[in-house]
């Protein structure tokens, strides 16, 4: 592949005069020619990658100013939406305490505060409260703040935590003495998510990033020693793999996980001997995936070995290789094993059957088993807060599109459950006013694609309802039908909210994912279009009142379907959209590129290059009308670089033949997730909703 230099560069300072006249900024053209696989490709806006070029920043700021001006008439609506959403939040609140040994850990939030406060009590819930970390203090004076992770030492005396202050997802790791409240001298920059303690309370394992922001090294640090003396436990030289670290629930073993999109290798180390060497459970084998936990002399392994939808195996610790794996739960073609929670006496299996999550429980001593009963047709749950190994209690959070998150303790022995807390939704919310349903659209190849819908009771299918259709459809990530208090602001204005469970996601097991990736990626887009067409055909809505939304890989979805069927949608919100597929996947220096060849394909292979080029949103912009578009970006985004949405917007401005709104909003101080504070995030949601409401003709 040969990359040629710029053919022409004629950058001009972008004037804000256009803003005053309500004319959109126009990005200068600076053509760059590429020669790939025997053909030539020209990119007129490649120059926008030059982050250090002042004219790039000027262009982004001009787009921000233009967007603000064009949405100025919605300012009152934005404020009303913000106040509504904020008014549903119980600002002063606390989470359900999680027991670990003799301590109970929980978080608090306070009225007017953007971030949570981590607390604990020793001995019982009536004991004195101890504040161990106040994120509001750490965030003071900063425009952005995010906690990367926090791990209390096994003896509960130290807290290791990491922070990011610009949205780049590059964290600085520090250690706090919980007795004195002071930081130790140990400070480690350039770390990533994931930190674990050895059981000696002085050995800390952490990962660091390479130039492409790939976590590629695992380090061992001993408190009180210089970081220059830290030992590199593992360096991952295969650029398609990343490094992670964890610990079994039994707290017996540290786990080093090396993984690509489709292949895994796990290594283990006795946590009581953190200075030792990690041993391999099963060497990496292409397309073999597995995850590991421990109980009573055995590893419990969830794997796709001879099991497309995964199965559960056991292996002896002394000889854990695949040749010694024994089947505990067999493969079922229609049921995916997503994960397990392992306890001293219990195995909990998280399954997905026909798109719905199921909770299977087995007593490992008696062999008795059962499913946990959920009494709603459209719902989701997740397990969390299960720190204790020797227990009969399983904690999970249940929710649906009409039921706020509800935390339960479930007794696996008696099958009884206790509701510990349901998220309190203020502002007069009444769940009985809303209803949800699951419907199916038929894709062009005949596949039935499910959608989850929620709306106010009394909705009439007259083709006039404003509707927001949301989709993602990548990485095998399911989009489960959970609750959103912010979404109520749309429902109360007559909206139908529809969640499209399209291929490429994991909503209906592994085959559903595999049928929407690599050379089948276009199924994701045609599935989503089929969902939109079905909503119109069944008179839920019409194209003049149908808005769509998606972010990141879901932003790729937004770009692709907007190119394919611009007539079907009235408004599009594309959040940090991955739209410059070819350029990004040809550049191994960009974060995530090499890690994702198994997801999108490697464009250095002509077959994948041609296929990706055929759907890449940026490369397929054409001279035709487009819907109203609001595009969001983050200047410090390491996952989807700001220039992807910026270039896409610039090309759309030059090519589209309509007068619909095209707006680019770049958060100049944040990354992939947007604003970090809980109220600042609501401001961004309010703007997105105001844009949608305005474009579909709902005014206040």
């Amino acid at each position: 592949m040969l990359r040629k230099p710029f053919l022409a560069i004629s950058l001009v300072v972008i004037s804000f005069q256009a803003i005053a006249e309500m004319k959109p900024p126009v990005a200068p053209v600076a053509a760059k020619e590429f020669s790939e696989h025997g053909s030539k490709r020209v990119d007129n806006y490649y120059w926008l990658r030059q982050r250090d070029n002042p004219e790039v920043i000027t262009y982004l700021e001009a787009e921000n100013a233009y967007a603000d001006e064009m949405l100025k008439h919605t300012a009152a609506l934005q404020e009303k939406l913000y106040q509504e959403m904020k008014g549903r939040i119980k600002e002063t609140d606390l989470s359900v305490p999680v027991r670990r040994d003799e301590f109970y850990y929980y978080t608090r939030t306070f009225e007017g505060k953007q971030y949570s406060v981590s607390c604990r009590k020793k001995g019982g819930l009536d004991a004195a409260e101890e504040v161990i970390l106040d994120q509001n203090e750490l965030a003071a004076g900063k425009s952005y703040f995010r906690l990367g992770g926090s791990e209390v030492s096994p003896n509960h005396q130290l807290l290791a935590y990491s922070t990011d202050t610009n949205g780049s997802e590059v964290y600085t790791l520090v250690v706090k003495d919980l007795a004195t409240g002071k930081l130790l001298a140990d400070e480690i920059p350039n770390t990533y998510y994931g930190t674990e303690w050895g059981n000696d309370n002085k050995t800390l394992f952490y990962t660091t990033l390479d130039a492409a922001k790939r976590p590629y090294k695992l380090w061992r640090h001993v408190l009180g020693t210089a970081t220059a003396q830290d030992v590199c436990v593992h360096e991952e030289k295969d650029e398609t793999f990343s490094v992670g670290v964890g610990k079994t629930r039994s707290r017996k073993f540290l786990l080093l996980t090396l993984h690509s999109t489709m292949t895994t290798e796990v290594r283990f180390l006795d946590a009581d001997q953190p200075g030792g060497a990690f041993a391999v459970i099963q060497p990496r084998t292409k397309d073999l995936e597995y995850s590991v936990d421990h109980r009573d002399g055995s590893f419990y392994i969830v794997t796709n070995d001879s099991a497309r939808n995964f199965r559960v195996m056991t292996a002896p610790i002394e000889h854990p290789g695949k040749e010694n794996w024994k089947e505990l739960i067999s493969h079922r073609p229609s049921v995916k094993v997503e994960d397990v929670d392992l306890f001293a006496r219990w195995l909990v299996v998280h399954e997905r059957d026909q798109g719905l999550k199921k909770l299977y429980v087995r007593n490992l001593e008696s062999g008795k088993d059962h499913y946990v009963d959920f009494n709603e047709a459209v719902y989701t749950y997740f397990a969390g807060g299960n720190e204790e190994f020797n227990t009969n209690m399983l904690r999970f959070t249940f929710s649906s599109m009409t039921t706020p998150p509800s935390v339960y303790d479930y007794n696996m022995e008696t099958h009884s459950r206790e509701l510990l807390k349901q998220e309190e939704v203020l502002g007069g919310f009444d769940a009985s006013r809303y209803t949800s349903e699951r419907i199916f659209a038929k894709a062009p190849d005949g596949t039935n694609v499910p959608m989850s819908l929620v709306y106010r009771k009394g909705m009439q299918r007259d083709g006039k309802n404003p509707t927001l259709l949301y989709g993602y459809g990548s990485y095998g990530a399911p989009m489960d039908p959970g609750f959103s208090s912010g979404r109520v602001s749309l429902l109360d204005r007559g909206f139908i909210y529809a969640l499209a469970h399209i291929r490429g996601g994991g909503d209906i097991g592994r085959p559903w994912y595999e049928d929407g990736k690599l050379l089948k990626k276009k199924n994701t887009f045609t599935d989503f279009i089929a969902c939109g067409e079905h909503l119109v055909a069944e008179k839920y809505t019409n194209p003049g009142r149908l808005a769509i939304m998606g972010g990141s890989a879901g932003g790729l979805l937004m770009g692709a379907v907007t190119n394919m069927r611009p007539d079907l949608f009235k408004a599009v919100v594309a959040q940090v959209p991955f739209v410059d597929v070819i350029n990004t996947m040809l550049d191994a220096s960009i974060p995530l590129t090499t890690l994702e060849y198994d997801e999108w394909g490697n464009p250095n292979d002509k077959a994948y290059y041609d296929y990706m080029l055929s759907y890449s949103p940026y490369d397929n912009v054409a001279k035709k009308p487009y819907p109203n578009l609001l595009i969001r970006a983050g200047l410090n985004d390491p996952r989807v670089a700001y220039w992807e949405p910026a270039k896409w917007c610039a090309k759309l401005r030059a090519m589209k033949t309509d007068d619909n709104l095209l707006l680019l909003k770049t958060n100049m101080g944040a990354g992939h997730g947007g604003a970090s504070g809980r109220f600042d995030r609501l401001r961004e949601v309010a703007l997105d909703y105001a844009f949608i409401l305005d474009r579909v003709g709902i005014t206040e």
Side-chain angles (χ1 to χ4, degrees):
M1 180 177 66
L2 176 66
R3 293 185 178 182
K4 295 184 177 180
F6 286 102
L7 299 179
I9 300 180
S10 179
L11 305 184
V12 297
V13 176
I14 299 164
S15 171
F16 280 79
Q17 181 64 31
I19 308 302
E21 298 173 358
M22 287 196 175
K23 294 180 181 178
V26 177
V29 170
K32 184 170 185 178
E33 184 180 287
F34 296 90
S35 179
E36 297 140 353
H37 299 294
S39 61
K40 292 182 179 177
R41 178 172 59 89
V42 174
D43 186 347
N44 288 332
Y45 303 102
Y46 194 82
W47 70 274
L48 284 169
R49 291 170 52 118
Q50 302 171 25
R51 179 181 172 132
D52 294 333
N53 183 341
E55 293 176 4
V56 171
I57 302 302
T58 297
Y59 171 70
L60 297 177
E61 290 174 341
E63 284 285 4
N64 281 347
Y66 174 72
D68 290 342
E69 182 66 27
M70 298 308 293
L71 291 176
K72 187 164 63 175
H73 67 286
T74 70
L77 176 58
Q78 290 182 47
E79 182 63 24
K80 185 173 184 178
L81 289 165
Y82 170 74
Q83 294 298 339
E84 284 178 9
M85 292 186 286
K86 185 169 179 282
R88 294 190 193 100
I89 296 172
K90 188 177 182 181
E91 294 191 36
T92 300
D93 203 357
L94 74 161
S95 67
V96 177
V98 173
R99 182 180 176 182
R100 180 165 182 172
D101 301 325
E102 58 183 335
F103 286 88
Y104 292 83
Y105 289 88
Y106 56 97
T107 59
R108 282 191 178 278
T109 54
F110 294 94
E111 183 176 357
K113 299 289 187 180
Q114 294 265 25
Y115 302 94
S116 63
V117 178
S118 299
C119 308
R120 70 180 181 183
K121 293 182 178 182
K122 183 178 181 180
L125 295 177
D126 57 350
E129 180 176 272
E130 176 188 358
V131 174
I132 61 175
L133 192 68
D134 186 341
Q135 293 186 50
N136 297 288
E137 292 180 357
L138 298 176
K142 300 177 177 66
S143 60
Y144 182 94
F145 174 83
R146 193 172 296 279
L147 189 68
S150 60
E151 289 290 337
V152 176
S153 61
N155 63 6
H156 302 270
Q157 294 178 10
L158 302 168
L159 175 67
Y161 67 90
S162 59
T163 59
D164 168 21
T165 56
N166 62 15
S168 65
E169 298 183 55
V170 178
Y171 292 88
T172 298
L173 177 64
V174 296
V175 179
K176 181 178 181 179
D177 185 325
L178 295 177
T180 66
K182 297 187 179 302
L183 295 181
L184 304 186
D186 311 74
E187 181 177 307
I188 308 170
N190 192 41
T191 65
Y192 199 56
Y193 303 102
T195 302
E196 278 296 346
W197 289 95
N199 286 347
D200 61 354
N201 299 294
K202 64 179 182 180
T203 303
L204 197 59
F205 292 85
Y206 64 92
T207 59
T208 56
L209 302 162
D210 65 9
K213 296 188 177 180
R214 173 179 66 101
Y216 79 120
K217 285 184 178 181
L218 178 69
W219 297 84
R220 181 171 55 232
H221 173 74
V222 178
L223 297 183
T225 65
T227 55
Q229 299 175 8
D230 289 356
V231 175
C232 181
V233 175
H234 178 79
E235 178 180 359
E236 183 51 58
K237 295 184 178 180
D238 187 331
E239 63 181 9
T240 67
F241 277 75
S242 61
V243 175
V245 63
K247 188 182 281 187
T248 60
R249 179 174 281 115
S250 66
R251 308 179 201 168
K252 175 63 177 173
F253 293 105
L254 292 155
L255 299 176
L256 164 60
T257 301
L258 312 167
H259 58 92
S260 68
T261 305
M262 300 295 294
T263 306
T264 317
E265 178 179 309
V266 181
R267 304 182 182 189
F268 68 101
L269 172 65
D270 188 332
D272 292 332
Q273 305 294 328
F278 282 81
V280 177
I281 291 179
Q282 167 61 34
R284 68 188 70 177
T285 304
K286 183 173 174 56
D287 295 332
L288 174 65
E289 299 175 64
Y290 66 99
S291 60
V292 178
D293 208 340
H294 159 260
R295 169 192 174 267
D296 192 26
S298 297
F299 288 125
Y300 285 66
I301 298 167
V302 179
T303 180
N304 68 339
D305 178 44
S306 301
R308 192 179 185 190
N309 256 336
F310 292 77
R311 57 179 173 159
V312 182
M313 318 288 282
T314 62
I317 292 172
E318 297 78 10
H319 304 287
K322 187 163 73 75
E323 65 276 8
N324 297 312
W325 292 1
K326 293 183 178 179
E327 186 174 83
L328 182 65
I329 295 180
S330 61
H331 174 252
R332 290 155 292 170
S334 63
V335 179
K336 184 187 177 189
V337 175
E338 294 199 319
D339 197 7
V340 300
D341 273 307
L342 189 62
F343 301 90
R345 297 175 57 231
W346 302 93
L347 175 69
V348 177
V349 183
H350 304 284
E351 302 177 350
R352 191 173 293 273
D353 185 358
Q354 297 301 310
L356 286 177
K357 297 181 72 173
K358 291 187 175 180
L359 197 54
Y360 169 80
V361 180
R362 178 185 291 188
N363 186 307
L364 292 169
E365 295 176 348
S366 69
K368 293 182 178 180
D369 60 0
H370 66 277
Y371 281 90
V372 177
D373 184 33
F374 296 115
N375 297 316
E376 291 197 44
V378 181
Y379 66 88
T380 189
Y381 77 88
F382 65 88
N386 294 292
E387 291 290 329
E388 290 296 290
F389 183 61
N390 191 9
T391 180
N392 291 331
M393 305 302 292
L394 172 71
R395 180 166 295 176
F396 63 83
T397 300
F398 172 90
S399 74
S400 72
M401 299 183 91
T402 59
T403 305
S406 308
V407 181
Y408 288 90
D409 267 352
Y410 180 78
N411 189 312
M412 294 180 279
E413 190 77 62
T414 66
H415 305 185
S416 62
R417 72 187 78 186
E418 179 185 1
L419 177 62
L420 303 177
K421 178 184 177 66
Q422 184 175 84
E423 180 182 299
E424 190 173 349
V425 183
L426 306 180
F429 171 78
D430 180 353
S432 67
R433 297 174 184 165
Y434 310 92
T435 190
S436 63
E437 65 172 314
R438 176 161 289 202
I439 63 174
F440 293 85
K442 192 169 290 294
D445 64 0
T447 300
N448 287 322
V449 182
M451 279 185 284
S452 297
L453 273 59
V454 63
Y455 44 81
R456 281 194 69 129
K457 289 180 178 178
M459 181 271 295
Q460 300 295 315
R461 282 168 54 182
D462 56 8
K464 299 178 181 179
N465 300 294
T467 300
L468 175 58
L469 176 62
Y470 187 91
Y472 186 74
S474 291
Y475 303 108
M479 292 288 104
D480 289 317
F483 183 80
S484 166
S485 64
R487 192 185 299 151
V488 175
S489 287
L490 292 181
L491 304 183
D492 284 351
R493 287 170 171 82
F495 263 78
I496 297 170
Y497 179 87
L499 186 59
H501 304 287
I502 51 183
R503 282 176 285 183
D507 304 75
I508 310 182
R510 189 54 173 263
W512 199 252
Y513 167 42
E514 293 173 350
D515 284 347
K517 63 179 296 194
L518 296 174
L519 298 177
K520 297 180 179 180
K521 187 62 201 170
K522 289 182 184 178
N523 284 338
T524 303
F525 314 139
T526 53
D527 282 2
F528 189 85
I529 290 170
C531 288
E533 291 173 335
H534 185 79
L535 291 170
V536 172
E538 295 300 312
K539 297 189 180 301
Y540 286 95
T541 190
N542 67 72
R545 307 212 87 185
L546 177 57
I548 59 174
M549 179 186 288
S552 195
L556 162 66
L557 171 67
M558 296 299 102
V561 301
T562 301
N563 279 333
M564 295 166 70
R565 284 296 307 278
D567 59 304
L568 186 58
F569 314 112
K570 182 66 174 179
V572 181
V573 178
Q575 298 161 323
V576 290
F578 170 45
V579 286
D580 193 13
V581 180
I582 290 294
N583 283 322
T584 292
M585 294 305 296
L586 282 170
D587 189 347
S589 71
I590 293 176
L592 300 182
T593 292
T594 57
L595 298 176
E596 297 189 350
Y597 287 154
D598 286 336
E599 179 71 23
W600 313 106
N602 185 341
N604 295 297
D605 180 324
K606 188 176 188 304
Y608 286 109
Y609 174 88
D610 289 343
Y611 188 76
M612 294 161 72
L613 188 61
S614 73
Y615 69 74
S616 173
Y618 177 65
D619 295 285
N620 286 279
V621 172
K623 284 189 176 296
K624 60 184 177 183
Y626 280 88
N628 297 279
L629 276 149
L630 171 60
I631 305 169
R632 284 194 171 274
L635 185 64
N636 300 323
D637 191 341
R639 297 173 183 256
V640 177
Y642 73 87
W643 60 73
E644 293 202 37
K647 289 171 57 181
W648 184 42
C649 178
K651 190 170 183 179
L652 281 164
R653 286 217 190 284
M655 300 286 285
K656 74 188 193 83
T657 59
D658 59 86
D659 294 324
N660 290 325
L661 277 185
L662 171 57
L663 307 176
L664 173 66
K665 283 284 290 183
T666 303
N667 190 321
M668 305 300 283
H672 199 63
S676 57
R678 58 175 177 159
F679 302 130
D680 291 341
R681 283 197 295 271
L682 289 182
R683 291 281 185 193
E684 294 185 339
V685 175
L687 187 147
D688 293 344
Y689 283 2
F691 170 80
I692 292 169
L693 288 163
D694 179 66
R695 293 297 92 187
V696 302
I698 296 179
T699 58
E700 293 292 312

